[in-house]
Each structure stands twice: as C-alpha cells, then as structure tokens.
C-alpha cells in the first residue's frame, strides 16, 4: 500500500499566498522522496526530490526539506501563481504501486 | 524528442470493442509501467515490466493484457471494453525499480472514453 500520506485537497489560495502541502512517510530506512506535479491535461512530472535526510529539494520556487526526525517532506512555496494550479503528488519511491489522489491546488487571481 | 510517448492521446469507442494503447520510451530505461487514473485523479499502477519481464500485475481484469516486445516498448491491449474502463491511462518508465533514487518519467496520458 501507499507509504506516504499527504493532505487532502483541494487547497484554494489567492495569488501570492504562501503554500504548504503536508507529506509524511512511513517507509523504513532512508527512502528518496519526491514531489511530482500534474498540470491539467498532462502526465506527472518531477517537481523536486531529496535523496537523504536534511537535503532540500527546490524547483520553480517550490521547496521541500527531507526531515527524518518528523518523517516529513512538506512542499512549500512563498508566493503562488495562478499557473501553479495543478495536482501535487508526494512519493517515497519504495512503492510505485499507488500514487493516491494527490493534492489539488487551485490558485485564483 | 519526447522521452515517453504514448498513442493515441484520445480514444472514444463503444462497449465490447477491443483497443490498444502504445507506449515507447527513448531514455534507455529498464522498467516501464502502466497506470490508471480515474476521474477523481486517483492514480494506481496496473502493470510493470523490467527488461521485458512482467514484475507487477495488480488486480486488473484479464481483459487487460500488456505486451513488451522490447524494453523500450510497453503496449496495453484491452478486450471487451466496459464503461468502467473509461479513464486516463499513463505509461511511465524509470531506470530502476523500488528503492532506487531515480524518478519516474510519465507520458502525456491516453484518455479512453467507452460509450
């Protein structure tokens, strides 16, 4: 089954608001952690990743820090744009069976 | 060049028909996957092949049959289509399997509508 848990959406924000999407993992060991993004009408694409504890992945203004002590990999962005509206999936790469429903982000002008 | 390409992008067909979706990756990856995404965006694996060998076959009706002629191709054939098969089907590939640091590369999806 799915070894990551992420917050349910939709998350609705105004442009320039601060974004946090929570993700926690339960895998043993030290899995690599990923955030994928799915824009409307497209397939998933890698947004950022971290391969070991305390690593920070970043891309397009998004950041996530691999925190072993809290088994978390929360996705953050300081100022969201309308173009960030998409579905975001957290993954720990130990189980490719289920990605779940992701978290839908809707950003309004 | 598109890394993972799947065709067709849209497919509308009648119940009872047989259809195929093709997938090709030019990344030199060893592992390919088929995922199904429902209308609520729930994304779940159907099959996975590693070097042309089936390694994952989830609880999928045997009307669905994957075929991997070589490690760059993984096609999905569906017999006797049903209304509930309507979904978006995604092909993906990765260099390694579980536990690796590699990411998944997804195709753009094939939207199947069964009438």
């Amino acid at each position: 089954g799915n070894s990551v848990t992420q917050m349910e959406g939709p998350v609705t924000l105004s442009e320039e608001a601060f974004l946090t999407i929570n993700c926690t993992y339960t895998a043993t060991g030290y899995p690599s952690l990923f955030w994928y993004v799915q824009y409307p009408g497209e397939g998933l694409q890698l947004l950022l990743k971290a391969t070991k504890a305390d690593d920070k992945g970043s891309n397009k203004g998004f950041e996530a820090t691999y925190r072993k002590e809290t088994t978390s990999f929360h996705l953050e962005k300081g100022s969201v744009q309308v173009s960030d509206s998409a579905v975001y999936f957290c993954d720990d790469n130990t189980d490719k069976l289920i990605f779940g429903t992701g978290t839908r982000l809707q950003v309004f002008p | 060049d598109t890394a993972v390409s799947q065709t067709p992008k849209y497919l509308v067909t009648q119940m009872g028909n047989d259809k195929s979706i093709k997938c090709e990756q030019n990344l030199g990856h060893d592992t390919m996957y088929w995922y199904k995404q429902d209308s609520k965006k729930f994304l779940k694996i159907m099959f996975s092949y590693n070097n042309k060998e089936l390694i994952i076959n989830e609880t999928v009706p045997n009307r669905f049959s994957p075929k991997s002629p070589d490690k760059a191709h993984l096609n999905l054939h569906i017999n006797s289509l049903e209304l509930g098969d309507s979904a978006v089907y995604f092909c993906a590939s990765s260099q390694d399997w579980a536990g690796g640091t590699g990411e998944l590369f997804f195709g753009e999806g094939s939207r199947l509508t069964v009438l």
Side-chain angles (χ1 to χ4, degrees), chain A residues 26 28 41 48 52 57 62-63 72 81 90 98-100 102 105:
Chain A
T26 57
T28 56
L48 52 83
K52 60 183 189 296
F62 290 88
E63 291 183 342
S72 65
Q81 306 299 313
C90 184
I98 297 178
F99 274 82
L105 170 64

Side-chain angles (χ1 to χ4, degrees), chain A residues 34-37 42-47 49 91 93 96 99, chain B residues 1-6 23-35 43 72 74 89-96 101-109:
Chain A
F34 301 78
W35 275 102
Y36 289 85
V37 59
E42 298 182 13
L44 278 70
Q45 57 185 275
L46 182 70
L47 179 60
K49 71 177 182 183
D91 181 50
N93 213 45
K96 293 184 171 65
F99 274 82
Chain B
D1 272 348
T2 304
V4 180
S5 57
Q6 47 183 116
C23 180
E24 175 182 5
Q25 54 96 1
N26 62 7
L27 298 166
H29 287 167
D30 289 339
T31 308
M32 295 185 71
Y33 314 79
W34 275 110
Y35 287 87
L43 186 67
L74 181 61
Y89 293 85
F90 286 98
C91 179
S93 73
S94 66
Q95 181 56 52
D96 49 27
T101 59
E103 66 187 89
L104 286 168
F105 290 78
F106 283 82
E108 292 191 345

Side-chain angles (χ1 to χ4, degrees), chain B:
Chain B
D1 272 348
T2 304
V4 180
S5 57
Q6 47 183 116
T7 55
K9 191 166 183 180
Y10 298 97
L11 191 51
V12 180
T13 189
Q14 300 286 331
M15 268 198 313
N17 284 350
D18 304 337
K19 290 294 176 187
S20 292
I21 309 172
K22 296 185 176 180
C23 180
E24 175 182 5
Q25 54 96 1
N26 62 7
L27 298 166
H29 287 167
D30 289 339
T31 308
M32 295 185 71
Y33 314 79
W34 275 110
Y35 287 87
K36 180 179 179 180
Q37 187 174 47
D38 64 21
S39 57
K40 292 190 169 70
K41 298 295 189 185
F42 189 88
L43 186 67
K44 186 177 178 184
I45 198 166
M46 300 174 69
F47 302 101
S48 176
Y49 272 71
N50 182 263
N51 275 319
K52 301 193 299 173
E53 289 193 20
L54 180 66
I55 55 172
I56 285 181
N57 182 354
E58 280 298 287
T59 310
V60 175
N62 57 16
R63 297 182 294 104
F64 290 78
S65 53
K67 281 194 172 54
S68 182
D70 56 63
K71 76 173 193 176
H73 295 84
L74 181 61
N75 303 323
L76 183 65
H77 187 76
I78 316 170
N79 288 328
S80 304
L81 279 156
E82 300 178 357
L83 293 177
D85 298 332
S86 296
V88 182
Y89 293 85
F90 286 98
C91 179
S93 73
S94 66
Q95 181 56 52
D96 49 27
W97 176 230
T101 59
E103 66 187 89
L104 286 168
F105 290 78
F106 283 82
E108 292 191 345
S110 296
R111 181 177 293 276
L112 171 65
T113 303
V114 182
L115 303 175

Side-chain angles (χ1 to χ4, degrees), chain A residues 8 49 94:
Chain A
E8 288 191 17
K49 71 177 182 183
T94 59

